[in-house]
Amino acid sequence: RTLRLVRSVKMTVKLAHLLDSLRSESLRILFNTMALALCILTLNHYFACGWYYIGISGEADNNWVARNVELDPVGMRYATALHWSFTQFTPAGMEIHPNNFPERLYTVVTVFFAMITFSSFMGSITANMTALRRLSSEPAAQQKILHDYFTENGISAELGTRIWGYLKKNHFEHR
């Protein structure tokens, strides 16, 4: 387990270096958003595994596994546990619920953790999407200002198109 933790820390450092090496601001924002989504998925995986473990290690007939998915294949049990985990992080509902004290306690801890982390993740993702929209709207605003300038000063459409192409390639692609 310690080795896996060390590997995940090394992976985080490598991903940070990769993020620093990206020249395009748009790619950096998209990569950061995907990393946040992967982090949410990973957290939900761990909570799902914990939920399943609590279920199988409790009372033999009074747990969520025995009452809902005991005869299902392992893949279905994992999918159900993951579904349960996602519903704890969102306002969605599900037919699986705690049946004993350890399951109830695990649910309370999960929901408390989910309230804190999910709102933080959503705030970060919203900020990333706003920055991405700002980046995509900025060249359009610049193009309009440039087009108005060309029109006011009688610059030909051909020259205007070439100037915009140059600016787009050499200025806006590096953002």
Side-chain angles (χ1 to χ4, degrees):
R1 290 182 185 178
T2 305
L3 190 58
R4 277 189 236 158
L5 182 62
V6 169
R7 270 193 235 138
S8 73
V9 169
K10 285 182 181 179
M11 183 62 122
T12 304
V13 170
K14 286 180 181 182
L15 287 175
H17 287 301
L18 177 64
L19 190 59
D20 289 339
S21 70
L22 291 176
R23 301 188 125 217
S24 168
E25 186 67 21
S26 297
L27 280 176
R28 191 174 294 137
I29 291 169
L30 285 173
F31 184 80
N32 192 16
T33 304
M34 288 189 316
L36 285 170
L38 183 63
C39 192
I40 290 170
L41 181 63
T42 303
L43 276 173
N44 276 279
H45 164 76
Y46 285 118
F47 276 106
C49 290
W51 176 243
Y52 184 73
Y53 177 76
I54 294 286
I56 62 170
S57 63
E59 301 171 29
D61 59 344
N62 188 27
N63 61 60
W64 77 269
V65 175
R67 291 188 178 203
N68 298 286
V69 295
E70 189 171 37
L71 301 176
D72 291 341
V74 173
M76 181 63 175
R77 286 187 241 165
Y78 173 75
T80 303
L82 188 61
H83 182 192
W84 174 88
S85 180
F86 279 130
T87 62
Q88 305 313 302
F89 278 72
T90 62
M94 169 175 208
E95 69 277 358
I96 305 294
H97 53 83
N99 292 300
N100 55 45
F101 179 73
E103 290 178 357
R104 179 75 57 192
L105 184 61
Y106 187 79
T107 301
V108 168
V109 169
T110 302
V111 169
F112 180 75
F113 184 80
M115 283 189 317
I116 296 166
T117 58
F118 193 72
S119 60
S120 175
F121 281 132
M122 289 311 296
S124 298
I125 289 172
T126 301
N128 284 344
M129 298 316 284
T130 301
L132 197 57
R133 277 192 206 104
R134 181 185 47 79
L135 283 175
S136 65
S137 67
E138 191 175 303
Q142 295 281 334
Q143 186 175 16
K144 177 166 180 1
I145 292 169
L146 204 55
H147 182 268
D148 291 346
Y149 176 82
F150 292 160
T151 303
E152 290 172 8
N153 294 296
I155 295 174
S156 71
E158 180 186 341
L159 180 58
T161 302
R162 287 178 52 204
I163 291 171
W164 178 249
Y166 175 81
L167 287 173
K168 194 171 165 188
K169 180 180 179 187
N170 294 304
H171 178 67
F172 291 113
E173 284 186 2
H174 296 294
R175 294 184 140 206

